[in-house]
Every structure is written in C-alpha cells, then in structure tokens.
Amino acid sequence: MAITLVAAMPAASQSPFPVDIGGPYALLDQNGQTRTQADPDGKHQLLFFGYANCLNICSAALPLMAQVVDELAADGIEVTPVMITVAPDQDQVDTMGAPLAEIHRDFIGLTGKEDALQVAYDAFKVEVEPLFQDPEYGWIYSHGSFVHLLDGDGELLTLLPPILDVTQATKIARSYITPQG
C-alpha cells in the first residue's frame, strides 16, 4: 500500500487535497456536552477517527497526537487532541473519557447517534467497517488512519500519517500553525 505524504506539502491558500475534506458536525463529548468541528476556545486541533480501546492503528495515532500536543505546548502553542469514535457501541459518553485521559489529560472524545456520526464520517471521508468481534475487546473496526490538523474553526490544514515520528509530526504541525517569516 502506497502512502502519499501530503502532510509535508507547504501550507497554501488553496487546498492541496484532491477532494474536499472536513465540514460541520455536532457530537457529544465525554462530559455529555455538544461539540462541533470548531474548538470552543479557538485552539487548533488534532482530530482522529478511532476508538478508545483499539489495539491497532489507534494505539499508534492517539499517543502520537498526545506527544505532538505536548511538544507544541512546550513552545506555547495550544492544540486540542480530539477523537471521534468509530465504535459508538463501545465509546459512550460515560466510557470513553477514562481511557483517553490515560493517553492525554486534554483528550476530547466524541460520540453520538449513528446518523450524527455518519455526518462527521462523510465530511472527513472516513469509511468505517466492522471486521470481527474480539471476545475480550468487542468489535474490531476498519477505519481511517490519518490524523487531521484543524484550525480553531475546524477547517482542515493538513493530514498527518500516524507512521511519522513525533519530531516529524510536530514539525509539520508547527509549520501550519505558526506563521512563516
């Protein structure tokens, strides 16, 4: 499988993506509050579609997001890590907060009814497919693997493949967040 590293492309006023990615959604966070694609504090966001107990790509992407958030915070850049669940049967308002907090105290987990989640999946071109049921962890899903860097309004800036190391991912994110000059 070939991965195109679009994340390394310089920021530009025109989207470097061949499709329109991103858009509005309204989901519930782990505190039962409605959140949209826009960060309420205007912070940039790292957004991933996954699930809190995923043992596969999520176990690489979510810790990477946490490390990038901490690296940027050391430079005074606040970024919110956000995960939209692909497993609403497993990630519910009262069950996803604790596992995400173990990864990073600021992690926001979003869930909702299937139709509300589908709006987000469609906006970000994420396909979700149940693969099989693990006796210990429940359903295992195939889902998108990119980390989306969004501005405070929820507009996509770039995609970060979770195969990047923290130094590379932080450098790319920083180049989109801080003005060059």
Side-chain angles (χ1 to χ4, degrees):
M1 167 171 56
I3 295 178
T4 304
L5 189 58
V6 294
M9 297 168 59
S13 61
Q14 184 176 341
S15 173
F17 305 108
V19 295
D20 191 23
I21 301 173
Y25 59 80
L27 297 167
L28 295 176
D29 69 16
Q30 68 265 34
N31 301 311
Q33 301 298 310
T34 299
R35 286 186 62 116
T36 69
Q37 72 284 356
D39 185 90
D41 299 319
K43 297 178 188 174
H44 285 79
Q45 303 166 79
L46 288 175
L47 172 67
F48 184 73
F49 290 81
Y51 50 112
N53 69 346
C54 174
L55 302 177
N56 296 306
I57 196 71
C58 304
S59 64
L62 299 178
L64 172 67
M65 291 168 62
Q67 292 173 318
V68 170
V69 165
D70 288 344
E71 289 290 318
L72 293 170
D75 293 338
I77 302 168
E78 293 185 75
V79 177
T80 303
V82 180
M83 184 203 72
I84 295 178
T85 189
V86 298
D89 56 321
Q90 297 172 32
D91 290 336
Q92 298 172 2
V93 168
D94 58 343
T95 63
M96 68 182 158
L100 290 175
E102 288 181 24
I103 299 168
H104 196 280
R105 69 187 172 283
D106 295 334
F107 235 114
I108 302 295
L110 299 177
T111 191
K113 295 186 181 202
E114 285 187 36
D115 58 337
L117 286 164
Q118 192 63 52
V119 168
Y121 303 156
D122 291 346
F124 286 86
K125 313 296 187 253
V126 173
E127 293 186 28
V128 179
E129 181 180 343
L131 297 176
F132 62 90
Q133 192 166 13
D134 181 284
E136 184 176 351
Y137 296 102
W139 279 100
I140 304 299
Y141 294 89
S142 169
H143 57 86
S145 62
F146 284 102
V147 175
H148 303 74
L149 176 63
L150 308 177
D151 67 16
D153 293 327
E155 296 293 321
L156 180 69
L157 298 174
T158 196
L159 300 173
L160 301 169
I163 59 168
L164 297 174
D165 67 31
V166 69
T167 302
Q168 293 170 310
T170 302
K171 181 179 178 182
I172 292 167
R174 188 181 292 116
S175 74
Y176 282 86
I177 294 172
T178 56
Q180 304 298 311

